[in-house]
Amino acid sequence: MNLDQLDTPAAIIDIAAMQRNIDAMQTRMNALGVKFRPHVKTTKCLDVVRAQIAAGAQGITVSTLKEAEEFFAAGITNILYAVGMVPAKLPRAMALKKRGCALTIIADNAAAASAIVEFCKAANETFDVWLEIDTDGHRSGIAPDDDALIAIGRILQEGGIGVGGVMTHAGSSYELNDPEALAALAEQERAGCVRAAERLRAAGIACKSVSIGSTPTAFAARHLEGVDEVRAGVYVLFDLVMANVGVCATSDIALSVLASVIGHQPEKGWVIIDAGWMAMSRDRGTSKQAHDYGYGLACALDGTPLAGCTLIGANQEHGILAIENADDIARRFPIGMKLRILPNHACATGAQYPEYHALASDGSTVVWPRFHGW
Amino acid sequence: MNLDQLDTPAAIIDIAAMQRNIDAMQTRMNALGVKFRPHVKTTKCLDVVRAQIAAGAQGITVSTLKEAEEFFAAGITNILYAVGMVPAKLPRAMALKKRGCALTIIADNAAAASAIVEFCKAANETFDVWLEIDTDGHRSGIAPDDDALIAIGRILQEGGIGVGGVMTHAGSSYELNDPEALAALAEQERAGCVRAAERLRAAGIACKSVSIGSTPTAFAARHLEGVDEVRAGVYVLFDLVMANVGVCATSDIALSVLASVIGHQPEKGWVIIDAGWMAMSRDRGTSKQAHDYGYGLACALDGTPLAGCTLIGANQEHGILAIENADDIARRFPIGMKLRILPNHACATGAQYPEYHALASDGSTVVWPRFHGW
C-alpha cells in the first residue's frame, strides 16, 4: 500500500531518512573510536533495531524489562537496562540472564546495591552491575566526586558482584540549542563519567566500561577519551525538539503522522484533521524552545512543510490546524486530503501506535510492528 | 495478586470507585429522563463497558473504527462513531454495518454528506447519519443557526439517506470550574442542539435523535428537554482535570498509576520513581487550572494523597517527585516503596497501557485488557 491507501492516522517511517540517520551516527562513533549502543526505547521496533545493528551498533540500551525480553527473544543478547534497579524487578532480570541474556543492570544507591548482593547470594548467581553517574543534575545518578560512589562500589565489590562499569546520560542537553554550550555539556558528560571510573579504580574497584550519551551530546562531543561506548535513542528518527536543539534539520525527521482532513471552520481559519493527541501524543516539547511547533509541523504528502499552518490544538482524535490565510480553505484542504505531521517528540508519538508503516523510496509501505507496555 | 505483588508501573482501576461513578451518572441520567450512551474512548476496555451497560447504558460512543470493531465483536451493536466521516473510511464502516452493527456515523460538511450519498448509491446500501452541531465553538460541527445545516440535511435527504439525528459535544466545559458557568454551558449545549433539530424538522427534514454531552455538562444540566441521550466518557474513572472542573473529588478518581521508588537526590528533595511520561502520559491538563498537579497527585498505597509531594518532572521512564520537607528522604521513601499516582487525564494515561489491573475491595487484582491503535 502507498500513503494514499493507508487508513489514518498512521505512523510513517521514511526508511531512507532513517538509514541516513543511522549511518551518520555510526560513522561519527566510528570516527570517535567508541562502540555505539542505541537506546531502543525510541522505536521498540525490531525492524529499526536490526538496521541499527547492521550498521555497526554493539548491543542495545533499554528502558524497560519488557524491551529486554522482547529483543532478547529476537536474538539480541547484549542489553543494558538503563533504569535504576529495584529489588522487586531482580527475579525478572535474573530470569533473562539465566536464559543467556548478557543483561547489565544499574544502581545509584546503597539500598539497591545491597539488595542486588543479597539476591545474588540467595540465588548463587551474579549480575553485571554498572553505577549510574549524574553528570548534569537533571535526574538520577551519583555525582562523580560524591563519597557515595566509592561506598556503593564497595558494597558490590565486597558482595562478590563487582562494578562492571559506569554510565551517565546528560539529558539536560535537550534544553540547549547553542553549539558551544552543547560541546561544553558533552565534555562535562564525558569528563564526569571518566572521573567516576578513575575514582573507583583508584579505590581498588575495577570498573571496565565507561558509557555515556544523549543524542545532542553524541553529535557535539569533540573527543571521547576514556569512553568505551556511547548511547543515543532519538537520533534514529529525529523530531522537532531535536531540530530546535540544532542537531538535525526538519528534513532529517524520519517519523511523521499521516492524517486526513475531516472538517473545516472557515471563519476561524481552522482545518480539522483526524490526528489529535492520541495520534501525536500530548508532548509539547517545543513549547519552550526557539520555535514552538504546537502539536507538530504539517507537511504535504511528499513531506514538504506547509507554510502558515500550525497544529494549535489536539483533542483525543481531533487536531485543529490553524491556517494563516483562510481564503478558500475548504477547497485548498478538501475533506479526505492527506497530510503528514512531523512530531515534537518521536519517542512519545511512536508510543501511541501498535505499528509503523515503513515507507520505501518507491512509495510502497510495509508494516513494522512495535510493542508497548512494561 | 495484590498491589504489593504487581510489577511497576501499572494502571490500577479501583472497581468500587468506578462502580460508584457509573451508578451516579446513570442515576442522574435516569432522573433527567434521557438515555445514556457512554464514550468508551476513555477506557477501550470491555470489562468497564460491560459494567456501564449493566448499569443501564444504551449503546456506546466510539472515537475510532477500531473501537467500533472491537466492541461489536464483543456483542455490542448500538454504536455511534463520533468523529466526522471521511470518504476513505466508508468501506470499513459499511463492513461493520453489513455484519449487523447498528453503526451511526456523523458529518458536518457538504463534501462528506455527498460522499456518503454517493457511496451508498454505489453500494445499494444506507447509513444512519447524524449531523454534528457546534454549540460552543471549541472544535467541529455546524452552528445551530448556520444555513449550511439545512443545506447538508437536504443533501442527505435527497440522496435517500436522511438525517437520523443531531449530536454535539460542549468540550469547552473542561475549561470551566464555576457551577453557574457550567450550568449555563450545559443549557447552551442542550438548547443549541435542540434548536438544530427543530430547524431541520421545520425544513421538512426528519431528525429523530438529539444527542449531547460531556462529563462536566452532564453533571451541570438542570433539565434536558428535547434531548434523547447524553454521552460522556471520563466520568467513569474521573481524573485531576475533572477534580479542578469541580465535578468530582480526588477520592472519586478510580484510575491510578502504581509506581516504585527507584532513587533519591536528597540535596534537591527529589524522589525518583519509575513512572515517567510513558506511565503517566504527557498530559499536563491541570497546568492552566486552579490547582496544577504537575504530572499527577502522589498517594500512599491505600490511596491517601501525600501532602507536600509534587511530580514535577517526567522523562520516559523516570518521574521526579519533589518533596517539600526533604529530611530523611531516603528513609521515608525507601527504594522499592510503592506509591499510587492519580492522573491528570484518565483517557491519556490509560492509553499508555495494554491492560488495567482492576483492584477489588479485598485487595486482589485481576487483569482487564484494553486495546489501542486505529
Side-chain angles (χ1 to χ4, degrees):
Chain A
M1 289 210 280
N2 62 33
L3 296 185
D4 270 331
Q5 297 166 307
L6 289 177
D7 280 353
T8 56
I12 311 297
I13 289 180
D14 181 314
I15 300 174
M18 178 194 85
Q19 194 63 52
R20 283 196 301 274
N21 297 340
I22 290 172
D23 292 342
M25 179 65 88
Q26 189 65 53
T27 299
R28 185 166 166 74
M29 293 301 110
N30 294 346
L32 285 164
V34 292
K35 292 181 280 187
F36 181 61
R37 183 193 287 274
H39 205 317
V40 300
K41 74 182 177 68
T42 300
T43 65
K44 305 195 184 191
C45 171
L46 186 59
D47 299 277
V48 175
V49 174
R50 283 193 172 134
Q52 292 170 304
I53 290 172
Q58 296 187 46
I60 61 172
T61 313
V62 301
S63 68
T64 63
L65 287 173
K66 171 85 167 269
E67 289 162 60
E69 289 162 352
E70 292 275 342
F71 286 108
F72 177 68
I76 297 168
T77 56
N78 178 6
I79 300 177
L80 169 64
Y81 172 41
V83 176
M85 180 51 71
V86 288
K89 293 179 184 173
L90 284 165
R92 195 168 159 193
M94 183 55 77
L96 263 176
K97 184 167 180 286
K98 282 190 174 173
R99 287 164 56 208
C101 180
L103 180 71
T104 297
I105 62 175
I106 68 169
D108 75 351
N109 61 82
S114 297
I116 293 166
V117 165
E118 292 310 310
F119 180 85
C120 286
K121 272 187 188 158
N124 199 27
E125 289 283 350
T126 189
F127 264 120
D128 183 38
V129 183
W130 293 6
L131 295 183
E132 184 174 12
I133 309 302
D134 179 12
T135 50
D136 68 344
H138 89 289
R139 188 169 76 194
S140 298
I142 314 158
D145 285 303
D146 193 326
D147 290 344
L149 177 70
I150 308 301
I152 298 165
R154 284 206 201 292
I155 291 170
L156 291 166
Q157 190 179 40
E158 289 164 10
I161 306 287
V163 175
V166 285
M167 59 80 73
T168 194
H169 165 60
S172 63
S173 59
Y174 282 45
E175 296 156 23
L176 303 178
N177 63 3
D178 171 71
E180 285 306 309
L182 282 163
L185 182 60
E187 174 54 18
Q188 179 181 320
E189 182 186 43
R190 181 204 71 80
C193 206
V194 170
R195 163 98 181 126
E198 286 169 350
R199 284 190 67 224
L200 286 163
R201 290 165 188 157
I205 300 165
C207 171
K208 186 170 165 293
S209 299
V210 176
S211 173
I212 69 168
S214 75
T215 287
T217 53
F219 283 110
R222 290 179 182 159
H223 75 89
L224 290 176
E225 203 179 315
V227 171
D228 295 281
E229 68 171 27
V230 167
R231 309 179 321 279
V234 77
Y235 81 96
V236 68
L237 299 178
F238 281 130
D239 54 29
L240 295 167
V241 166
M242 287 297 117
N244 269 324
V245 170
V247 294
C248 70
T250 58
S251 57
D252 296 321
I253 299 174
L255 179 66
S256 59
V257 170
L258 187 70
S260 296
V261 172
I262 65 170
H264 310 94
Q265 297 289 8
E267 312 75 38
K268 296 174 178 160
W270 288 358
V271 170
I272 312 293
I273 64 175
D274 64 356
W277 61 252
M278 189 65 90
M280 298 307 305
S281 91
R282 266 288 189 206
D283 200 294
R284 288 281 291 106
T286 62
S287 64
K288 290 175 184 163
Q289 292 186 305
H291 189 133
D292 182 351
Y293 285 99
Y295 281 94
L297 175 60
C299 301
L301 206 52
D302 69 359
T304 311
L306 297 171
C309 299
T310 308
L311 194 56
I312 58 167
N315 298 144
Q316 187 156 340
E317 299 289 349
H318 296 77
I320 299 175
L321 194 61
I323 314 295
E324 271 178 29
N325 168 11
D327 293 349
D328 211 10
I329 198 170
R331 191 190 54 78
R332 287 160 55 214
F333 296 91
I335 297 294
M337 178 188 185
K338 283 181 170 158
L339 303 171
R340 284 166 73 184
I341 319 291
L342 302 181
N344 285 324
H345 187 178
C347 309
T349 301
Q352 304 296 99
Y353 291 84
E355 76 268 312
Y356 298 107
H357 295 271
L359 174 65
S361 51
D362 66 358
S364 65
T365 62
V366 292
V367 169
W368 285 359
R370 58 164 291 150
F371 57 88
H372 74 155
W374 283 268
Chain B
M1 289 209 280
N2 62 33
L3 296 185
D4 270 331
Q5 297 166 308
L6 288 178
D7 280 352
T8 56
I12 310 299
I13 289 180
D14 181 314
I15 299 174
M18 178 194 83
Q19 194 63 52
R20 283 195 303 274
N21 297 340
I22 289 172
D23 293 342
M25 178 64 87
Q26 189 65 52
T27 299
R28 183 166 168 74
M29 294 300 108
N30 293 347
L32 286 164
V34 292
K35 291 182 282 187
F36 182 60
R37 182 193 288 276
H39 205 316
V40 302
K41 73 180 177 72
T42 300
T43 66
K44 305 195 184 191
C45 171
L46 186 59
D47 299 276
V48 175
V49 174
R50 283 192 172 135
Q52 292 170 304
I53 290 171
Q58 296 188 46
I60 61 172
T61 313
V62 301
S63 67
T64 63
L65 288 173
K66 171 84 167 269
E67 289 162 60
E69 290 162 350
E70 293 274 342
F71 287 108
F72 177 68
I76 296 168
T77 57
N78 177 6
I79 300 176
L80 168 64
Y81 172 42
V83 176
M85 181 50 71
V86 288
K89 293 178 183 172
L90 284 165
R92 194 169 159 192
M94 183 55 77
L96 263 176
K97 184 166 180 287
K98 283 192 173 173
R99 288 163 55 205
C101 181
L103 181 71
T104 297
I105 62 175
I106 68 168
D108 74 351
N109 61 82
S114 298
I116 293 166
V117 166
E118 293 308 311
F119 180 85
C120 287
K121 274 189 187 156
N124 199 26
E125 291 282 349
T126 188
F127 264 121
D128 183 36
V129 183
W130 293 5
L131 294 182
E132 184 173 13
I133 308 302
D134 179 14
T135 51
D136 68 344
H138 91 288
R139 186 168 79 193
S140 296
I142 314 159
D145 286 304
D146 192 325
D147 290 342
L149 177 70
I150 309 301
I152 298 165
R154 285 209 202 289
I155 291 170
L156 291 166
Q157 189 179 41
E158 290 166 10
I161 307 288
V163 174
V166 286
M167 59 82 72
T168 194
H169 165 61
S172 64
S173 59
Y174 282 44
E175 295 155 24
L176 304 177
N177 63 3
D178 170 71
E180 285 308 310
L182 282 163
L185 182 61
E187 175 55 16
Q188 179 180 320
E189 181 185 43
R190 182 205 69 81
C193 206
V194 170
R195 163 98 180 124
E198 286 170 349
R199 285 191 66 224
L200 285 163
R201 291 165 188 156
I205 300 165
C207 171
K208 186 169 166 293
S209 299
V210 176
S211 173
I212 68 167
S214 73
T215 287
T217 54
F219 283 110
R222 289 175 183 163
H223 75 90
L224 290 176
E225 203 178 315
V227 170
D228 296 280
E229 69 170 27
V230 168
R231 309 180 321 281
V234 76
Y235 81 96
V236 68
L237 299 178
F238 282 131
D239 53 29
L240 295 166
V241 166
M242 287 297 116
N244 268 324
V245 171
V247 294
C248 70
T250 58
S251 56
D252 296 320
I253 299 174
L255 178 65
S256 59
V257 169
L258 186 70
S260 297
V261 172
I262 64 169
H264 310 94
Q265 296 289 8
E267 313 74 38
K268 296 173 179 159
W270 287 359
V271 171
I272 311 294
I273 63 175
D274 64 356
W277 61 252
M278 189 66 89
M280 298 307 305
S281 90
R282 267 288 189 205
D283 200 294
R284 288 282 291 105
T286 62
S287 63
K288 289 172 183 165
Q289 292 187 305
H291 188 134
D292 182 351
Y293 286 99
Y295 281 93
L297 175 59
C299 300
L301 206 51
D302 70 359
T304 311
L306 297 170
C309 299
T310 308
L311 194 57
I312 58 166
N315 297 144
Q316 187 157 339
E317 298 289 349
H318 295 78
I320 298 175
L321 193 62
I323 314 296
E324 272 178 30
N325 168 10
D327 294 349
D328 211 10
I329 198 171
R331 190 190 56 77
R332 287 160 55 213
F333 296 90
I335 297 294
M337 177 187 187
K338 281 181 171 158
L339 303 171
R340 285 167 73 185
I341 319 290
L342 302 180
N344 286 324
H345 187 177
C347 309
T349 300
Q352 304 295 100
Y353 291 84
E355 77 266 313
Y356 298 107
H357 295 271
L359 175 65
S361 53
D362 65 359
S364 65
T365 62
V366 292
V367 170
W368 284 0
R370 59 165 289 150
F371 57 89
H372 74 153
W374 282 268

